[in-house]
């Protein structure tokens, strides 16, 4: 059974803290994504990695950075958390090759920044 | 990238009935994907239809695509209470810097009453 796991389901942090969200996939997928999902705004791409140590900015990268040191792991970093980063964060992975490959999502991390 | 617009926003039916939801998009696509999200199983890929296909089936799901009208529909036949979820369409552009990323709108909230 394919699996994408995220380090936490719920997280509460304070403004200014550095926050790490971890995502691990066991499907040997090349591509990994970080999205955030907000009511009224839908799903938006933060960062994308097409292979180890490779990353590309998505639509809303400001305030975030990422790390992909190993193929199975993709980390999202909030350098200095702010209240407008309170959101549901979703990680996904996809096999390389065709745009049409489906994306497999993790369960999500609901982050609250106080 | 572009976002699909799902319609209706909410749909309430009885178990056993069929459910139809629609998706419209603005620019040409490589493929269109449908996803389901509920609290139990998170965000899950349902079906993908490519731009050169008109109809596709998967179990109780039937998806149509009309590229001339830039629209797609998802039909769930003989609905079950377990089908209660939010449904999203994701039109996928190919090439450039889109990386085949997904962009969801607000989705259609389907409620199936036992």
């Amino acid at each position: 059974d394919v699996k994408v796991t995220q380090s936490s389901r719920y997280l509460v942090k304070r403004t200014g803290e550095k926050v790490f969200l971890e995502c691990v996939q066991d499907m040997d997928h090349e591509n990994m994504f970080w999205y955030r999902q907000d009511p009224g705004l839908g799903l938006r791409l933060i960062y994308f990695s097409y292979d180890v140590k490779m990353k590309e900015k998505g639509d809303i990268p400001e305030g975030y950075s990422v790390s992909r040191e190993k193929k199975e792991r993709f980390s999202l970093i909030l350098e200095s958390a702010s209240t407008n980063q309170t959101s549901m964060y979703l990680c996904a992975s996809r096999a390389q090759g065709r745009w049409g490959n489906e994306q497999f999502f993790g369960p999500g991390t609901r982050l609250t920044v106080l | 990238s572009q976002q699909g617009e799902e319609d209706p926003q909410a749909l309430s039916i009885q178990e056993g009935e069929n459910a139809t939801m629609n998706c419209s998009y603005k620019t040409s696509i490589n493929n269109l994907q449908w996803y389901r999200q509920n609290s139990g199983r998170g965000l899950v890929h349902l079906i993908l239809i490519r731009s050169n296909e008109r109809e596709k089936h998967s179990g109780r799901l039937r998806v149509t695509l009309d590229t001339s009208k830039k629209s797609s529909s998802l039909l769930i036949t003989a609905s079950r209470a377990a089908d209660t979820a939010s449904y999203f369409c994701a039109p996928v552009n190919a090439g450039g810097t889109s990386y085949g990323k997904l962009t969801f709108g607000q989705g259609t909230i389907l409620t199936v009453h036992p």
Side-chain angles (χ1 to χ4, degrees):
Chain A
D1 200 15
V2 296
K3 212 169 205 183
V4 179
T5 56
Q6 295 183 228
S7 49
S8 306
R9 292 299 298 271
Y10 300 93
L11 208 52
V12 179
K13 295 291 181 180
R14 298 217 171 267
T15 301
E17 281 192 75
K18 191 168 186 175
V19 182
F20 293 86
L21 303 182
E22 301 281 331
C23 175
V24 178
Q25 51 96 3
D26 65 359
M27 296 165 281
D28 202 36
H29 284 168
E30 291 81 6
N31 303 163
M32 295 187 74
F33 303 78
W34 274 107
Y35 296 91
R36 62 179 283 178
Q37 187 177 28
D38 300 285
L41 296 174
L43 190 77
R44 294 177 292 167
L45 181 67
I46 305 171
Y47 265 97
F48 163 70
S49 170
Y50 50 89
D51 211 336
V52 177
K53 296 191 187 296
M54 309 302 253
K55 61 186 179 185
E56 292 286 344
K57 292 179 181 179
D59 296 320
I60 49 164
E62 296 79 19
Y64 303 94
S65 62
V66 290
S67 173
R68 183 109 182 260
E69 296 297 317
K70 293 185 178 181
K71 192 175 187 180
E72 68 271 17
R73 189 179 298 269
F74 191 33
S75 302
L76 180 69
I77 303 149
L78 286 65
E79 298 291 342
S80 177
S82 63
T83 55
N84 63 12
Q85 292 178 310
T86 291
S87 185
M88 170 67 87
Y89 289 87
L90 293 163
C91 173
S93 73
R94 181 185 70 194
Q96 181 76 349
R98 297 182 300 164
W99 300 117
N101 289 352
E102 68 182 281
Q103 293 190 23
F104 293 87
F105 282 84
T109 295
R110 188 167 292 282
L111 172 67
T112 302
V113 182
L114 301 175
Chain B
S1 67
Q2 62 175 318
Q3 177 175 299
E5 299 292 336
E6 296 90 353
D7 175 68
Q9 290 187 344
L11 185 58
S12 182
I13 60 174
Q14 295 295 128
E15 215 166 24
E17 294 180 342
N18 295 343
T20 299
M21 50 205 88
N22 304 297
C23 169
S24 60
Y25 57 93
K26 290 187 168 56
T27 62
S28 61
I29 58 172
N30 174 280
N31 66 81
L32 187 141
Q33 303 180 28
W34 284 90
Y35 286 77
R36 179 184 66 208
Q37 186 176 34
N38 59 31
S39 56
R41 292 198 61 198
L43 201 55
V44 176
H45 179 272
L46 293 177
I47 196 165
L48 178 153
I49 187 163
R50 301 195 185 280
S51 58
N52 60 354
E53 297 176 308
R54 291 297 165 258
E55 188 171 312
K56 201 159 181 182
H57 296 254
S58 176
R60 294 184 296 112
L61 305 180
R62 173 177 164 250
V63 168
T64 62
L65 179 65
D66 187 335
T67 52
S68 66
K69 294 181 179 178
K70 294 186 171 57
S71 67
S72 175
S73 68
L74 171 68
L75 168 67
I76 304 173
T77 59
S79 63
R80 305 166 182 166
D83 295 327
T84 294
S86 294
Y87 290 81
F88 301 92
C89 70
V92 178
N93 303 108
T97 58
S98 71
Y99 314 115
K101 67 182 177 184
L102 303 178
T103 307
F104 292 167
Q106 300 310 300
T108 293
I109 300 171
L110 173 66
T111 304
V112 182
H113 300 280

